[in-house]
Amino acid sequence: MELSERKQVILKAIIATYLETGEPVGSRTISKYTDLKLSSATIRNEMADLEEMGYIVQPYTSAGRIPSDLGYRFYVDSIMMEREQEEEEKRALLTRVDRMEKMLEQVATVLATNTNYATLVTSPQYREGRLKFIQISQVDARSLLAVIVMEGNVVKNHMIRTESALSNEDVLKMNILLNSFLQGLTLKDINLELVHTMKMQAGMHAAILEEIFQGIVETIHEADQVDVYTGGTANILRYPELGDREQTSRLLGTLVEKRALTRLLDDKRSQDGTQGIQVYIGDENANQDLKDCSIVTATYELEEGGTGTIGIIGPKRMDYKKVVKTLKSLTGELDEIFNKKY
């Protein structure tokens, strides 16, 4: 007979409690640890059905219940299925990240070809990165791999060495603890009180928890970093007014040095506080190496809140009408692509 969702939750609670305590489990205990909000009488009825179906047994009269071999089989199969689903989600996530990077590189190249100017596209940035989920997996007896995923699908792998071996049950408990407390939080939400509470619950594995926190902090900082994809740098050489050797050298150096471009875009966004299409002409550019150029930027948005910038750099006599029209069309297409496929 197929187990109802309620029976599955109660059976898992019985097994998890028995694994932790080694004592037969009663209905009163289960009523405290499930979110079903059922009375002890209702839970007793469900437990009676589970016993009749062979999933739990009563070791002696007036005792609680313990799992049977069939119950353990159900529990292990459920864990394996959940693990497979997690692995599938992880693979899909990594594929999505890889596809986005390739897409942004392609956008920069195609845009440069269509406009004959230099172009740049930034990866999406999340001003307040939130933790999406954390998965701890055992690599060997004394090594753990923590996969930390941030909002916007920034993924960080963090290796942890342990002084003592952890059982599969320990790893499962650690995953439940981390995701129960941290899912959806930003770095500023993780305070000392929260960390202390989690360490108390982690017990003898508090040191491992400390290592995982370090990985989380690194991942959140990494989420604040922006990748810049460029295209058409050589197009600058097409325009005689930008052809002075020294001037061209500085200009090309700026376009190749992606940190300078990132700072330039960050400065513009923080000064203006605006999104949409913006045009900066000559001395309006903070970077003096670009004082003979114009920069036109546009913002694309992801459904989960991330924003990125597309920029076109060319001479002050650039075809503004064509550039603005191209950027409007492109940002609309990117919004639709990212929010549907990614």
Side-chain angles (χ1 to χ4, degrees):
M1 186 184 301
E2 186 175 343
L3 292 178
S4 66
E5 183 177 348
R6 189 163 72 181
K7 282 185 172 63
Q8 289 184 37
V9 172
I10 291 174
L11 178 56
K12 287 178 181 179
I14 292 170
I15 297 174
T17 304
Y18 181 69
L19 289 174
E20 183 177 349
T21 65
E23 298 291 335
V25 182
S27 58
R28 186 175 179 82
T29 301
I30 296 303
S31 67
K32 295 177 181 178
Y33 290 99
T34 68
D35 295 327
L36 294 176
K37 298 180 181 177
L38 299 174
S39 66
S40 294
T42 302
I43 293 175
R44 276 197 299 272
N45 290 334
E46 294 286 9
M47 290 174 70
D49 289 343
L50 288 169
E51 185 175 4
E52 186 177 338
M53 297 165 71
Y55 288 98
I56 56 177
V57 296
Q58 190 175 30
Y60 49 87
T61 307
S62 301
R65 305 304 196 273
I66 64 173
S68 65
D69 288 353
L70 181 62
Y72 279 125
R73 169 51 57 194
F74 167 82
Y75 187 68
V76 170
D77 288 347
S78 296
I79 291 174
M80 297 299 293
M81 185 178 299
E82 289 170 3
R83 180 63 59 85
E84 287 176 8
Q85 289 174 347
E86 288 174 356
E87 289 299 323
E88 287 178 7
E89 289 173 1
K90 192 189 338 179
R91 285 193 293 270
L93 177 60
L94 293 173
T95 300
R96 171 180 171 172
V97 172
D98 184 55
R99 284 193 347 219
M100 179 174 284
E101 290 176 353
K102 286 185 170 64
M103 171 69 75
L104 295 177
E105 289 176 353
Q106 187 177 8
V107 166
T109 301
V110 170
L111 191 57
T113 301
N114 290 345
T115 62
N116 289 324
Y117 301 127
T119 61
L120 59 93
V121 182
T122 71
S123 59
Q125 189 172 18
Y126 300 79
R127 292 300 179 183
E128 283 196 348
R130 293 183 181 277
L131 282 164
K132 202 166 184 179
F133 67 84
I134 303 165
Q135 180 179 324
I136 309 298
S137 303
Q138 195 140 27
V139 178
D140 56 42
R142 286 177 169 75
S143 296
L144 295 175
L145 174 65
V147 179
I148 304 163
V149 183
M150 300 296 299
E151 188 176 57
N153 298 327
V154 176
V155 182
K156 176 83 172 181
N157 295 331
H158 191 69
M159 288 297 298
I160 302 167
R161 292 291 297 173
T162 63
E163 293 186 4
S164 57
L166 272 72
S167 67
N168 289 335
E169 184 187 349
D170 290 331
V171 174
L172 179 61
K173 287 180 179 178
M174 192 69 69
N175 275 309
I176 293 171
L177 176 66
L178 287 164
N179 286 287
S180 298
F181 276 86
L182 300 179
Q183 200 169 50
L185 298 187
T186 65
L187 185 59
K188 67 182 181 182
D189 295 327
I190 303 174
N191 53 41
L192 291 175
E193 183 180 354
L194 178 65
V195 173
H196 177 72
T197 301
M198 291 183 67
K199 283 185 175 181
M200 291 291 289
Q201 292 208 17
M204 61 184 293
H205 303 309
I208 297 174
L209 198 67
E210 186 71 35
E211 289 275 354
I212 295 170
F213 276 124
Q214 291 180 15
I216 290 170
V217 171
E218 289 175 14
T219 303
I220 291 175
H221 286 316
E222 185 174 308
D224 289 335
Q225 297 175 4
V226 178
D227 293 322
V228 180
Y229 306 91
T230 58
T233 301
N235 286 342
I236 292 298
L237 302 176
R238 294 170 176 263
Y239 305 99
E241 62 268 43
L242 302 176
D244 175 84
R245 176 176 292 182
E246 184 178 345
Q247 177 189 14
T248 301
S249 178
R250 290 197 307 269
L251 181 55
L252 291 176
T254 299
L255 295 176
V256 171
E257 177 50 64
K258 296 184 178 182
R259 287 184 183 178
L261 292 176
T262 302
R263 285 196 300 270
L264 173 69
L265 294 174
D266 282 345
D267 289 345
K268 292 301 180 188
R269 284 166 64 162
S270 61
Q271 287 170 13
D272 301 335
T274 57
Q275 296 183 350
I277 293 181
Q278 303 294 318
V279 181
Y280 309 98
I281 303 170
D283 288 333
E284 293 175 359
N285 296 311
N287 191 316
Q288 283 301 298
D289 293 335
L290 299 173
K291 63 183 180 62
D292 294 320
C293 299
S294 286
I295 303 175
V296 184
T297 66
T299 303
Y300 69 87
E301 300 182 22
L302 270 65
E303 195 171 43
E304 59 263 34
T307 60
T309 301
I310 306 170
I312 296 178
I313 302 172
K316 287 188 279 189
R317 63 181 177 94
M318 73 161 56
D319 187 342
Y320 295 99
K321 184 176 181 180
K322 177 182 178 181
V323 167
V324 170
K325 182 179 179 181
T326 300
L327 283 179
K328 280 186 176 178
S329 174
L330 182 59
T331 51
E333 290 175 10
L334 284 181
D335 288 346
E336 184 174 350
I337 289 171
F338 288 146
N339 293 331
K340 283 187 178 179
K341 292 185 180 180
Y342 294 86

